[in-house]
Each structure stands twice: as C-alpha cells, then as structure tokens.
Amino acid sequence: QAQLVESGGGLVQAGASLTLSCAASGHTYGMAWFRQAPGKEREYVAAVSWRGGSRYYAKAVEGRFTISRDSGKNIIHLQMNNLKPEDTAVYYCAADLEDPDGLGSEIDDFTAWGQGTQVTVSS
C-alpha cells in the first residue's frame, strides 16, 4: 500500500498563491486532490492521470488551480493562485492503486489517502 505525504499548506491572504505537494512511497496510477472545509463534505478539487497527460478540475477551482505530476514519479503538485477565503480547507492527496486507466472524481475511486494539510485563506 502506498503511503502519501502532503506538504505546503499554510496561512495566506486572499489573492495570494500557494503550492501543495504530495509524494507517494509506492506505485500509483491516477492521483488527485480533495479538500474538506469545516462542517462540509470532502470534495473533489483536481486529478491527474498516471502519465500526467490528462488533468481535470472542479469548476470552483478551474482557471485558478493547476495540478501537475513529476515525470516518471509518484509526486504531484497543486499550484493554487488567486486564493479565496472559501478555499480554506484541509487538502488531501489521494491515489488510485488499482486502475491504470481510471481517473475518477469520487472518493471511492481512490484507495490511498494522505493525512491532509491545512490551507487557510484570510480575507
């Protein structure tokens, strides 16, 4: 089972940028970012395919966030620009360990999860 470790969270002001990273200790296929704000359900943010050729975003972050994957490595990043207070949440890295062609957007599509990193955006 791959172990996922996130890094890069922090406290920033609205309009600032922040980059999150996630490193997996074992082999993974598709990888993604989810987030969970206080009192809310965990929600999908973005996903990148096994070889990095396909990327998908939730509408709430499209145009502001960019997901990327280091070539040939199980490391992904989430570049977040023009952050808004509503982006405040714990951000989780997730990985699909089973399906090389899969790239879902549901929690159940991913079988390994990191512990999360806090992102707080002040107004």
Side-chain angles (χ1 to χ4, degrees):
Q1 178 96 1
Q3 302 295 318
L4 278 60
V5 178
E6 302 100 336
S7 62
L11 170 63
V12 296
Q13 291 188 329
S17 298
L18 203 60
T19 300
L20 306 181
S21 296
C22 172
S25 61
H27 180 69
T28 65
Y29 293 118
M31 296 182 72
W33 289 97
F34 285 74
R35 66 186 181 185
Q36 187 166 17
K40 294 188 176 181
E41 298 284 322
R42 190 171 298 190
E43 65 175 6
Y44 168 82
V45 175
V48 61
S49 61
W50 179 20
R51 293 184 173 87
S54 298
R55 308 175 189 185
Y56 300 95
Y57 299 92
K59 289 187 177 180
V61 306
E62 197 163 19
R64 299 188 297 123
F65 291 12
T66 301
I67 189 170
S68 62
R69 185 166 189 157
D70 288 358
S71 179
K73 298 181 180 179
N74 298 310
I75 299 173
I76 63 170
H77 309 280
L78 186 69
Q79 172 69 41
M80 304 183 291
N81 297 327
N82 190 22
L83 282 160
K84 304 176 181 181
E86 51 263 43
D87 294 317
T88 295
V90 177
Y91 283 71
Y92 295 92
C93 177
D96 182 348
L97 306 182
E98 299 173 352
D99 185 356
D101 297 319
L103 193 61
S105 60
E106 302 294 329
I107 290 174
D108 290 345
D109 293 326
F110 298 91
T111 46
W113 292 83
Q115 293 299 308
T117 185
Q118 177 71 46
V119 173
T120 303
V121 184
S122 64
S123 59

